[in-house]
Amino acid sequence: MLDITRIRAETPGCAQVTHFNNAGASLQPRPVLDTVLRHLESEALTGGYEAADAAADRLAGVYDTLARLVGADPGEIAVTENATRAWDTAFYGIDLRPGDRVLTSAGEYGSNAIALLHRARERGIKVEVLPDDEHGQVSVAALAATLGPDVRLIAVNHVPTHDGLVNPVAEIGRLARAAGALYLVDAVQSVGQLDVNVDEIGCDLLSATGRKFLRGPRGIGFLYVRRAVLDRIAPTFLDDRSAEWTGPESYELREDARRFESYERSAALQLGLGAAAEYAMAIGLDVIEHRVTALAAHLRAALAEVPGVTVRDRGTRRSGIVTFTREGHDAAGIVASLARQKINVRLSEQTYRYDEGATPPPRVRASVHYYNTEEEISRLIGAL
Ligand SMILES: Cc1ncc(COP(=O)(O)O)c(C=O)c1O
């Protein structure tokens, strides 16, 4: 059972705003905020290196925590500056050759899509977009039909940014494994709201961020690299964290996924990311997933009752991301008007560059988290 009163009391932002922009960045709970602030203070008062030395055990513990969060081994986790860097680190590290096929989803995140195009131009890889099924999710049937030995990589997202659906990542994983293709999952919008497990998904690589449903700080993310594929991903940059300088003409790569990290990073943010993952696991990711899914369903049902509102989410399985339009009102105007009432939602207006004709109209995105309440949903509906 969730103690919503306690959870909200531990979330200072809940007293300030009605926050339905958890797909942008969630409100941090007090233990996360305190962890970050305490470390910054310790840096200011005792020195940055000395503060890191004093926190060495806790910094090392962040890897165990993140590994537990996604069902990995601590040596399979690299902490990165954000999720895009995590995804890029994995993607650009794959030795893709001209003619290699890379399969992706129509609703792929813009930065990932640009990186795919970049590699297509530079290396002559073939990027192929998997069609959506009739529910808007990545079509597993189309994937099965197109998979072949020339498919080197399948790169899809678990939960897209602009739609309430959840992609069938485990089914995709089974097909990827059978075909021997590398499998990279963008789990930026799912980690922290769904019970994500890398073995259940069957992915080789997975990227995640701190600030969204995990309720961590901004400017930090992580990458999971399955140990079996570690040597198939070449680090793009090396420094003396990722490798050891062993002689005038030699160096040795680190044994674990930390070979993908940079030496200089924010210790405060690393600790904050760890605290956020601990906080989520103390509540239970299964409990969180259940509550988020139920609140989002409640919000969709309430929205459907508002005159002129159309809920735009697709998918048979849905997440905490809810998108809608309202006849006679532009989405940007709704967002601005709600902001004046201290209700945070977001404008969602991604163009589907792969198929511009399929681009939906600008929508309002209201993304719920477990700390939101039915009363807050009523407030949003009343304001609409
Ligand atoms: C699906 C998805 N992937 C990747 C990202 C990028 O994450 P980050 O900003 O941490 O690099 C986002 C951010 O909105 C996202 O929604």
Side-chain angles (χ1 to χ4, degrees):
M1 273 294 286
L2 274 172
D3 184 348
I4 296 297
T5 307
R6 179 183 64 78
I7 286 167
R8 287 180 68 79
E10 280 176 1
T11 306
C14 283
Q16 309 294 323
V17 287
T18 297
H19 193 68
F20 290 121
N21 187 18
N22 296 291
S26 288
L27 298 176
Q28 292 172 36
R30 180 52 78 185
V32 171
L33 190 57
D34 285 347
T35 300
V36 175
L37 293 178
R38 261 201 302 268
H39 192 78
L40 288 178
E41 188 156 46
S42 164
E43 287 185 344
L45 298 182
T46 68
Y49 285 64
E50 293 71 13
D53 290 345
D57 288 348
R58 287 190 299 128
L59 282 164
V62 170
Y63 294 90
D64 303 84
T65 301
L66 296 175
R68 260 191 299 127
L69 179 71
V70 296
D73 182 83
E76 295 176 313
I77 302 292
V79 175
T80 57
E81 290 78 355
N82 51 63
T84 304
R85 275 299 156 268
W87 193 95
D88 284 344
T89 297
F91 173 65
Y92 282 96
I94 302 168
D95 179 26
L96 293 168
R97 308 269 170 89
D100 283 345
R101 294 170 67 210
V102 173
L103 308 182
T104 190
S105 56
E108 200 57 14
Y109 187 65
S111 300
N112 303 352
I114 291 168
L116 289 166
L117 281 175
H118 181 215
R119 266 301 192 239
R121 275 192 202 166
E122 295 221 320
R123 293 257 175 118
I125 63 167
K126 290 192 225 153
V127 177
E128 295 171 28
V129 182
L130 294 164
D132 295 336
D133 66 14
E134 70 272 32
H135 306 291
Q137 300 157 167
V138 174
S139 168
V140 176
L143 171 64
T146 196
L147 262 176
D150 50 352
V151 172
R152 291 286 310 286
L153 173 69
I154 300 170
V156 298
N157 60 60
H158 194 180
V159 169
T161 313
H162 299 282
D163 202 317
L165 62 84
V166 179
N167 274 317
V169 285
E171 287 90 327
I172 296 171
R174 279 191 281 280
L175 291 172
R177 184 62 52 91
L182 281 168
Y183 183 29
L184 166 57
V185 172
D186 174 339
V188 172
Q189 293 290 2
S190 57
V191 167
Q193 69 154 315
L194 303 180
D195 198 356
V196 173
N197 180 290
V198 290
D199 285 337
E200 277 167 25
I201 294 175
C203 57
D204 300 305
L205 305 149
L206 178 138
S207 58
T209 202
R211 73 182 182 285
K212 296 184 185 289
F213 287 93
L214 201 48
R215 307 186 66 196
R218 297 193 70 169
I220 193 103
F222 69 95
L223 172 68
Y224 156 78
V225 183
R226 187 174 292 282
R227 190 167 285 282
V229 308
L230 195 64
D231 289 327
R232 290 166 65 190
I233 315 295
T236 307
F237 303 108
L238 290 181
D239 65 12
D240 60 7
R241 173 159 181 91
S242 46
E244 187 189 348
W245 192 14
T246 50
E249 300 211 8
S250 61
Y251 64 81
E252 259 173 43
L253 271 185
R254 275 190 72 113
E255 289 281 307
D256 56 20
R258 276 165 248 182
R259 62 173 61 171
F260 301 111
E261 295 182 344
S262 321
Y263 173 81
E264 176 56 13
R265 290 163 309 148
S266 161
L269 298 183
Q270 289 172 65
L271 293 169
L273 177 65
E278 289 290 359
Y279 193 85
M281 287 190 287
I283 293 171
L285 270 303
D286 50 344
V287 175
I288 291 174
E289 178 173 334
H290 187 261
R291 163 102 180 157
V292 169
T293 310
L295 273 181
H298 175 63
L299 173 56
R300 287 188 192 98
L303 282 168
E305 299 292 313
V306 179
V309 165
T310 305
V311 174
R312 297 282 172 177
D313 302 320
R314 301 174 301 164
T316 48
R317 186 175 165 209
R318 290 179 171 174
S319 75
I321 296 177
V322 178
T323 61
F324 64 93
T325 51
R326 186 171 191 193
E327 218 179 303
H329 299 259
D330 72 294
I334 294 176
V335 173
S337 154
L338 291 173
R340 284 193 291 277
Q341 299 169 68
K342 292 200 167 180
I343 300 175
N344 295 343
V345 294
R346 202 74 183 161
L347 181 64
S348 184
E349 53 176 357
Q350 188 188 34
T351 305
Y352 285 22
R353 298 286 179 206
Y354 292 132
D355 180 6
E356 295 196 357
T359 297
R363 284 142 294 152
V364 180
R365 183 183 71 185
S367 43
V368 302
H369 216 329
Y370 59 83
Y371 59 74
N372 289 127
T373 61
E374 283 81 357
E375 290 72 33
E376 286 184 308
I377 290 178
S378 299
R379 196 167 167 245
L380 169 63
I381 298 297
L384 277 175

